Amino acid sequence: NKSQLIAKSRVMREQMSMAGQVASTDTTVLLLGETGTGKGVFARWVHENSRRSDGPFIVVDCTTIPENLVESELFGYEKGAFTGADKQKLGRVELAHEGTLFLDEIGELPLNLQTKLLKTLDEKTFVRIGGGRAIRSDFRLLAATNRYLKDEVTAGRFRGDLFYRLNVFPLSMPPLREREDDIMELARYFVELYARKYGRTGLGLSRKDQH
């Protein structure tokens, strides 16, 4: 099923209009906003409305992968690369070939991996851990963060050159408190969604619920 963006408020419609302009290109998009503002849903929508929509949409949540495993998750490894590597593993960068790579909460990415990611973005090639051959991956990058990356750059926690490489087309996802017109639209959507999911008919919001 295609992602559905629920947007009646002016602020969200403005962001959707901007996203629609960039979706059909290969431009890198940086989604900014607090946790829970729907950056992941928005990223999938951009992918589904791009020329790469038939390709894979590969998600990397940088907050859930232990630091010592981030490199192997991104770039994969060859059999025998380290103890326990009993078979070859393809990384997310390779799996995103001809599709979209979405790096969620990229502000959490360790500095040493930021350097490798920047090189991969510039060259569109990478090397699996334990490998010696450069592998090409043709992917479009989308990234999201709840941090102020400029402040992270100033503090030395985020590479400035990577930030400028990501910040080509920034989009800000407003929190729900700034888009009150969408609250009822979202409520109706979720009531209908879960009513269908659990086979309940006749469920809806009462007039009291809507005020």
Side-chain angles (χ1 to χ4, degrees):
N1 292 341
K2 277 205 165 190
S3 299
Q4 187 171 355
L5 294 183
I6 310 299
K8 186 178 179 182
S9 62
R10 181 181 59 81
V11 65
M12 274 301 287
R13 289 205 166 274
E14 286 175 355
Q15 296 305 306
M16 283 182 66
S17 175
M18 292 172 64
Q21 295 170 33
V22 79
S24 61
T25 73
D26 262 355
T27 301
T28 298
V29 177
L30 181 62
L31 299 164
L32 308 166
E34 299 173 13
T35 299
T37 50
K39 299 187 293 294
V41 175
F42 217 90
R44 186 176 287 276
W45 183 88
V46 169
H47 167 72
E48 290 170 350
N49 287 275
S50 75
R51 65 179 182 83
R52 296 175 178 266
S53 58
D54 290 336
F57 179 71
I58 304 297
V59 179
V60 179
D61 185 344
C62 299
T63 63
T64 61
I65 304 173
E67 187 171 333
N68 62 326
L69 297 179
V70 176
E71 184 174 6
S72 63
E73 283 296 318
L74 281 177
F75 302 113
Y77 53 77
E78 299 291 0
K79 181 179 179 180
F82 48 82
T83 303
D86 55 353
K87 60 182 179 180
Q88 183 189 73
K89 174 186 169 68
L90 304 186
R92 310 287 179 90
V93 168
E94 189 167 358
L95 293 171
H97 180 60
E98 296 186 339
T100 302
L101 178 68
F102 174 47
L103 298 182
D104 198 7
E105 297 305 348
I106 196 170
E108 308 293 330
L109 201 64
L111 273 169
N112 65 314
L113 268 301
Q114 292 175 28
T115 302
K116 292 190 175 184
L117 175 63
L118 180 64
K119 189 172 186 289
T120 298
L121 293 177
D122 288 340
E123 300 176 3
K124 284 298 171 74
T125 63
F126 66 96
V127 177
R128 297 191 197 110
I129 299 173
R133 179 174 64 91
I135 300 167
R136 181 169 177 77
S137 182
D138 171 25
F139 62 91
R140 192 247 186 106
L141 179 68
L142 305 178
T145 182
N146 64 3
R147 296 189 179 194
Y148 293 100
L149 288 187
K150 279 188 177 179
D151 291 347
E152 296 295 300
V153 171
T154 302
R157 291 187 293 266
F158 203 85
R159 288 188 59 125
D161 45 6
L162 178 58
F163 168 65
Y164 289 111
R165 188 76 168 73
L166 296 173
N167 198 42
V168 179
F169 198 96
L171 285 173
S172 294
M173 299 292 100
L176 202 54
R177 63 179 177 275
E178 294 177 10
R179 38 183 290 220
E180 290 185 359
D181 291 347
D182 293 335
I183 292 174
M184 286 312 306
E185 295 297 315
L186 286 163
R188 291 190 191 99
Y189 170 78
F190 285 115
V191 167
E192 292 173 8
L193 175 70
Y194 288 108
R196 286 196 306 271
K197 183 175 180 179
Y198 295 107
R200 299 289 298 275
T201 57
L203 286 183
L205 296 172
S206 68
R207 184 165 296 184
K208 179 182 177 182
D209 292 329
Q210 298 181 47
H211 289 83

